[in-house]
Amino acid sequence: MRRRMIWGYVFIAIPILWLLVFSLGPILFSGWVSLHRWDMITPVAEMPYTGLENYDYIFTRDNVFPKALGNTFLFAIGGVTTNVVLGLAFALLLNTKIRGRTLWRVLYFLPVITAPLALGVIFAFMFNRNYGVINNLLVVLNLPRQGFLNDPNQAMFVLIAIAVYQYVGYYIVIYLAGLQDIPQDYYDAARVDGASYWQELWYITLPLLRPVMLFIIVTNTIGALQVFDLVFATTGGAPANSTMTVVLYMYNTAFKYSRMGRASAMAFVLFGIILLITIVQLRLFRDRTTA
Amino acid sequence: MQERNLLLERLGTALKYAILIIGAIMMVFPFAWMIDASLMTSSEIQRRPPALYPAEVQWQNFTQLLDVLPFGRLYLNSLIVTISTVIGVLFTSSLAGFAFAKYQFPGREVLFYIILATMMIPFFVTLIPVFYIVRQLGWIDSYQGLILPSITSAYGIFLMRQFIVSIPDELIDAARIDGAPEPMIYWRIIIPLTRPALATLGTFVFIGSWNAFLWPLLVINSRDLYTVPLGLNTLRTFAAEARNLNLLMSGTVLSVVPTLILFIFLQRYFIQGITLTGLKG
């Protein structure tokens, strides 16, 4: 029995050590760094303690960080709303009697498994002001050319569209699984009572999909708040910081300008927001399992 | 009345397929456009308006691309990193999942909760410290710097534990009575029985690792160790200056094709994994 206990410890030794060194330890260290001024060259023991100065700076004196935070929220809200609606619409379509369901699923899913960096390259090309195919289609349709990624008023919306394109297939699959969990009996009973399609949708499908929808909203929000590769590959935060997001700005602050303290403070602010959303998620799911 | 209903139903079906087809075209269009442009000349792309298709298919774009960027080397590096990461994650996740599911030891619950908690830590919060640690270990510009930090996954451990819990204890006890040592039980019983879960987890880790960009960008400096996304990024800056957009698109084709092929063969496991994380997680 004792020997078996030892095997238990042996089996978890590497993962536990790894999570301590590469996950739990770093998060504590990161919190510590956010209270200091550090360029990563100064030895850790000698970095000057600055208290909450970094937090104060990024909110009151840094004019990019608040903007990046706002942009990131806009990106998340725009993308999540569209994914929730569009994903549901297509999942409902795919959940009816339809030929070649696997084929549809594969087609809608292709962008999900493609590197965001590669999609960024393709879309930067397609949305180019001068030679992009989207502008050429507009010209063919007698519509004015657009700046798209070069226009500060449009760039963020183009990024949202790309992000929706990339992930909507993922949410379609999750919705589909949720739809298939709804017992057919409910629909049969409703049909006996003469309910229309829209009544079924409103009184049966949507209420029963609520947990799935909440899951999609929360995970999609958490993911969208961390966007990096896509922005890096398309605009790099330009024009005029209109697409600067928190993680991209944090990356620049840390690895371009060597301001580890400020970057860590930014990371912690975003982490706090994500943690809040996670707690909300856990509560919502607890409600679901007890109800 | 009945005829009218039939007509409406037909119309509805036609509309349904029309929407699905339009959606699918929109999904595939960027890929099709990328392949199209990868076979044009650079001037065809930059003409205003650009050509819709190549006047003559430029297969040499791909050979020219190989002069600029050694894709063979990029593939090799990405394969080494990705396969090592997959093996590492599958090994550590299944071992730890096995221990958490089937062994009694003091601290088991607490440690499992700690692992669950680390699942919530986003990558960007740990980026600076992990980079610092990897640098202190002298792993900058090395395969181990790319691979070793990610050979464990809290999510993987969680997934494997959930799966292994449902394996009957009798199977394990019978093996013990036959005198099998614990590692052999893991190798001969647990691994074969968890194959579907391993396939699901493996597919996820493969695609995540193959597509990873930010971490390799930080850790790798020398071109000999570039992974595919790093190569694509270099090509991106190079193409913007030299206006070699056709080569940029050929490079993008080469960078996404492996994941697309892998997905087409393993999509069943992938979809399964999503449904699992999406609803039962």
Side-chain angles (χ1 to χ4, degrees):
Chain A
M1 202 62 206
R2 265 197 72 113
R3 183 173 294 167
R4 219 179 280 164
M5 219 168 78
I6 292 168
W7 278 114
Y9 287 122
V10 171
F11 290 164
I12 62 167
I14 294 178
I16 292 287
L17 179 72
W18 245 246
L19 290 174
L20 283 179
V21 175
F22 292 112
S23 191
L24 273 183
I27 202 159
L28 298 176
F29 186 63
S30 193
W32 180 241
V33 170
S34 80
L35 304 174
H36 293 75
R37 192 164 59 237
W38 192 39
D39 54 10
M40 218 184 252
I41 296 164
T42 322
V44 173
E46 289 167 27
M47 52 186 191
Y49 178 80
T50 55
L52 293 175
E53 146 80 24
N54 287 321
Y55 291 90
D56 181 55
Y57 180 88
I58 59 172
F59 277 112
T60 58
R61 272 166 291 156
D62 188 331
N63 41 26
V64 181
F65 181 74
K67 191 168 169 123
L69 202 56
N71 289 340
T72 308
F73 281 135
L74 176 65
F75 178 81
I77 292 167
V80 172
T81 319
T82 321
N83 273 331
V84 165
V85 176
L86 211 59
L88 178 65
F90 276 94
L92 286 172
L93 276 181
L94 285 173
N95 198 40
T96 55
K97 253 186 243 150
I98 217 130
R99 280 161 198 266
R101 191 175 295 165
T102 313
L103 178 69
W104 296 115
R105 223 168 42 183
V106 168
L107 291 179
Y108 283 98
F109 215 79
L110 284 181
V112 180
I113 45 114
T114 309
L117 183 79
L119 284 181
V121 171
I122 300 171
F123 278 102
F125 171 68
M126 289 175 65
F127 278 105
N128 187 282
R129 192 166 35 176
N130 300 317
Y131 48 73
V133 62
I134 310 282
N135 258 332
N136 285 311
L137 289 175
L138 290 180
V139 171
V140 170
L141 296 170
N142 265 325
L143 295 166
R145 282 176 173 275
Q146 302 294 323
F148 292 125
L149 293 167
N150 296 93
D151 183 335
N153 296 318
Q154 295 176 359
M156 188 45 102
F157 294 97
V158 176
L159 288 187
I160 292 173
I162 302 173
V164 169
Y165 165 84
Q166 173 156 37
Y167 290 114
V168 73
Y170 180 84
Y171 298 110
I172 293 175
V173 169
I174 293 183
Y175 268 129
L176 268 175
L179 286 170
Q180 273 148 18
D181 273 355
I182 301 177
Q184 184 59 37
D185 305 3
Y186 294 169
Y187 294 107
D188 293 342
R191 222 152 286 166
V192 170
D193 292 340
S196 72
Y197 174 80
W198 298 108
Q199 283 173 323
E200 282 178 19
L201 180 66
W202 188 253
Y203 293 108
I204 301 173
T205 312
L206 286 183
L208 289 172
L209 270 187
R210 204 183 70 107
V212 177
M213 225 179 249
L214 284 175
F215 174 84
I216 290 177
I217 292 171
V218 171
T219 49
N220 193 359
T221 310
I222 292 176
L225 291 175
Q226 303 179 46
V227 60
F228 176 83
D229 296 13
L230 173 65
V231 193
F232 186 93
T234 47
T235 60
N241 285 327
S242 64
T243 59
M244 183 57 79
T245 61
V246 175
V247 176
L248 181 61
Y249 189 50
M250 182 214 128
Y251 166 84
N252 287 345
T253 307
F255 297 103
K256 269 190 184 163
Y257 312 126
S258 290
R259 296 190 180 274
M260 301 300 156
R262 272 179 208 169
S264 298
M266 291 173 197
F268 256 72
V269 169
L270 188 63
F271 179 44
I273 295 165
I274 290 179
L275 209 58
L276 211 68
I277 297 171
T278 310
I279 291 166
V280 170
Q281 177 191 27
L282 287 178
R283 297 210 86 154
L284 292 172
F285 273 81
R286 190 174 308 141
D287 287 353
R288 177 192 165 200
T289 43
T290 50
Chain B
M1 190 62 197
Q2 218 166 14
E3 252 172 54
R4 209 179 135 223
N5 277 346
L6 198 70
L7 190 72
L8 271 178
E9 205 175 299
R10 288 244 173 99
L11 261 174
T13 312
L15 189 69
K16 206 160 72 180
Y17 279 100
I19 296 173
L20 283 176
I21 290 170
I22 292 171
I25 289 174
M26 284 177 76
M27 285 313 193
V28 177
F29 184 73
F31 292 99
W33 194 251
M34 158 188 82
I35 293 168
D36 189 23
S38 77
L39 297 170
M40 291 187 196
T41 64
S42 193
S43 63
E44 274 173 325
I45 294 175
Q46 285 170 59
R47 196 185 301 158
R48 224 176 128 165
L52 281 179
Y53 50 86
E56 206 176 318
V57 174
Q58 308 288 321
W59 293 112
Q60 68 271 26
N61 282 352
F62 286 91
T63 46
Q64 270 178 36
L65 171 70
L66 294 183
D67 294 336
V68 184
L69 210 62
F71 248 90
R73 181 83 218 183
L74 300 182
Y75 277 151
L76 182 70
N77 290 335
S78 273
L79 274 178
I80 290 172
V81 172
T82 303
I83 290 174
S84 316
T85 311
V86 170
I87 293 173
V89 172
L90 293 186
F91 180 65
T92 56
S93 301
S94 53
L95 261 187
F98 177 37
F100 282 119
K102 297 295 181 190
Y103 287 82
Q104 300 291 337
F105 50 87
R108 187 180 75 159
E109 302 293 309
V110 178
L111 289 172
F112 190 63
Y113 278 117
I114 291 177
I115 286 174
L116 284 187
T118 61
M119 273 170 74
M120 291 169 197
I121 302 176
F123 77 96
F124 64 87
V125 198
T126 55
L127 196 63
I128 294 171
V130 171
F131 177 77
Y132 179 70
I133 293 167
V134 164
R135 207 181 63 177
Q136 293 302 99
L137 289 167
W139 290 354
I140 293 296
D141 231 7
S142 72
Y143 286 125
Q144 61 265 37
L146 283 176
I147 299 163
L148 289 181
S150 35
I151 58 156
T152 56
S153 148
Y155 163 72
I157 295 171
F158 178 69
L159 186 83
M160 293 312 295
R161 192 204 91 106
Q162 301 305 83
F163 208 83
I164 295 170
V165 160
S166 61
I167 294 175
D169 288 339
E170 289 78 12
L171 276 176
I172 297 167
D173 291 336
R176 282 193 184 126
I177 292 165
D178 290 346
E182 304 298 313
M184 198 197 275
I185 294 173
Y186 162 76
W187 191 246
R188 288 282 172 78
I189 296 174
I190 301 301
I191 289 293
L193 286 177
T194 52
R195 221 169 262 161
L198 290 172
T200 301
L201 181 60
T203 318
F204 266 93
V205 176
F206 189 100
I207 290 184
S209 175
W210 184 276
N211 288 344
F213 172 61
L214 178 52
W215 182 247
L217 181 69
L218 286 178
V219 174
I220 298 304
N221 301 319
S222 66
R223 285 193 167 218
D224 286 348
L225 291 175
Y226 268 20
T227 56
V228 171
L230 288 181
L232 183 61
N233 186 47
T234 319
L235 194 62
R236 190 175 67 89
T237 28
F238 163 78
E241 286 158 18
R243 311 208 107 207
N244 283 323
L245 292 153
N246 49 347
L247 295 194
L248 178 60
M249 283 300 117
S250 324
T252 318
V253 169
L254 291 186
S255 84
V256 301
V257 159
T259 46
L260 296 187
I261 292 174
L262 185 85
F263 171 68
I264 287 166
F265 283 108
L266 295 178
Q267 56 108 359
R268 192 164 55 96
Y269 293 111
F270 208 80
I271 303 288
Q272 210 169 41
I274 287 176
T275 353
L276 223 69
T277 46
L279 301 164
K280 317 262 150 39

